[in-house]
Structures are given as C-alpha cells and as structure tokens.
C-alpha cells in the first residue's frame, strides 16, 4: 500500500524498516532484490518517481518501507517538498520503525545532499545504517575504499549503525547480509 499523508499510514502493528536515499539510488531495486520479486517495488529510470511512502508486508511479520527519494526529481518544487516532507514526518513519528537504511550509490559515495539526510536521522534519533548500492559496478578494492570512507564519515554520528553493507540488487551481492541485519534489527 502507499500513503500520501501521515493520516494514511497503516497502524503501527508490525516492525518496520525504511529505505531512504537520493532519487535513482536503487531503493525499489533493492527491495525487489531483498524479496526476490522483480516487480514488487516499481523501479524507474525517472528520478523522483516514488512520491508516497510505500509499504510492503513480508509474511505478516514485518514491513519494508520505500520512502520518497531526495535530490533531483522531475516535479515542481512544491510537489517535491510535499513528498519529501512526508518521508521526514514518517521518520520522526513512527514508533514501530526499527531501523532506516540510507542507500548510497557506491560509485559516488556520500555527497553533500546526503549530509542533510544523515542530520535528519540524527535529529530524529532514528537508528540508521548505510547500504551501498550498485557495488557490482566497481572493483572490489574500490568498494572497500568507499566503505572505509563512509565508515569514517559516520563515525561520530549518534544514530548511525557502525557497519556499512555493499550490495548489488542486480547480482545479489550483500543481499543475504542485509536480510540478516534487517531480521536482527526487528528482533531487537
């Protein structure tokens, strides 16, 4: 289901993990990879396609939440602000949110615009973990380097989980590790 307002959210009766990141970072593809269902979350090449908070129930035990992307989107400024504020409001007020996963394109690493997201998580006191996407596009040594740079950048952030996972939805890289992290976060 999708929610376009906070009032439209489902009841907080299941643990939730949310996926956030810049537009076109691969949130929908990652959700599809995690669930082994290609068409579950609608992936698009158009930036800013996700304009609502989308919920995917897994085995009636937990929800995966796809948040609107931030950064560039093909929409008016007012529209962009509206769906990005919806994502922020979700993060601030969701009592059953166990962890947020901030997706970062491994090819680009953390960008200035990601700093705003990190600060929003820290301010909201939402536990978050960095997931590098599209890691299959880099050599193993480059993935290790971006992982280390990312860990150093989040080291002093109060809500950051001190582990970074490199993934590829296309190749399945890191999916088992991320599934294990999600289950551990939901059981805690």
């Amino acid at each position: 289901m999708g929610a376009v307002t906070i009032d439209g959210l489902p009841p907080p009766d299941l643990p939730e993990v949310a996926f956030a990141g810049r537009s076109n970072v691969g949130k929908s593809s990652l959700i599809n990879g995690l669930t082994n269902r290609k068409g579950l979350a609608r992936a698009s090449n158009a930036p800013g396609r996700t304009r609502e908070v989308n919920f995917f129930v897994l085995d009636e035990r937990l929800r995966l939440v796809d948040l609107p992307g931030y950064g560039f989107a093909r929409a008016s400024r007012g529209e962009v602000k509206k769906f990005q504020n919806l994502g922020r409001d979700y993060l601030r007020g969701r009592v059953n949110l166990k962890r947020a996963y901030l997706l970062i394109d491994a090819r680009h690493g953390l960008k200035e615009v990601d700093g705003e997201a990190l600060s929003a998580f820290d301010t909201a006191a939402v536990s978050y973990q960095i997931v590098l996407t599209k890691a299959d596009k880099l050599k193993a040594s480059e993935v290790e380097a971006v992982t280390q740079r990312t860990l150093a950048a989040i080291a002093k952030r109060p809500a950051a989980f001190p582990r970074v996972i490199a993934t590829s939805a296309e190749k399945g890289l890191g999916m088992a590790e991320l599934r294990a992290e999600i289950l551990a976060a939901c059981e805690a």
Side-chain angles (χ1 to χ4, degrees):
M1 76 163 276
V4 294
T5 65
I6 288 298
D7 296 338
L9 299 179
D13 54 356
L14 291 174
E16 294 174 354
V17 294
F19 297 91
R22 289 191 308 265
S23 297
N24 272 16
V25 76
K27 290 183 302 297
S28 297
S29 296
L30 184 79
I31 288 171
N32 290 338
L34 281 170
T35 60
N36 288 319
R37 294 189 54 199
K38 285 191 191 262
L40 181 65
R42 192 168 156 199
S44 170
N45 288 328
R49 185 73 176 184
T50 303
R51 298 181 182 195
E52 55 190 24
V53 178
N54 291 308
F55 295 86
F56 304 94
V57 178
L58 299 181
D59 198 27
E60 301 301 322
R61 294 178 53 211
L62 79 110
R63 285 189 195 101
L64 302 181
V65 183
D66 186 5
L67 297 173
Y70 56 86
F72 179 76
R74 289 191 179 140
S76 71
R77 285 187 186 166
E79 226 182 322
V80 168
K81 188 172 183 146
K82 182 179 171 186
F83 61 77
Q84 289 179 346
N85 284 341
L86 175 63
R88 284 188 196 96
D89 290 344
Y90 166 84
L91 291 171
R92 277 195 295 268
R94 202 64 174 165
V95 296
N96 56 327
L97 177 61
K98 299 302 182 183
R99 182 167 299 150
Y101 292 90
L102 180 60
L103 278 53
I104 301 295
D105 188 322
R107 299 170 300 178
H108 307 296
L110 286 168
K111 298 251 185 212
E112 189 174 318
V113 69
D114 297 315
E116 293 174 30
L118 297 172
S119 295
F121 288 133
D122 288 336
T123 300
V126 172
S127 172
Y128 64 93
Q129 185 169 3
I130 304 288
V131 175
L132 299 174
T133 60
K134 306 176 186 183
D136 60 308
K137 310 285 187 206
L138 298 174
K139 296 176 186 170
S141 61
E142 293 170 322
V143 172
E144 182 57 31
V146 74
T147 299
Q148 292 308 315
R149 283 194 306 274
T150 304
L151 281 168
I154 64 169
K156 294 188 183 200
R157 292 199 166 265
F161 193 76
R163 219 173 7 252
V164 171
I165 300 174
T167 65
S168 165
E170 191 175 301
K171 307 282 187 195
L173 172 75
M175 291 296 143
E177 184 180 356
L178 183 54
R179 282 185 201 106
E181 291 281 352
I182 290 169
L183 289 175
C186 287
E187 291 171 358

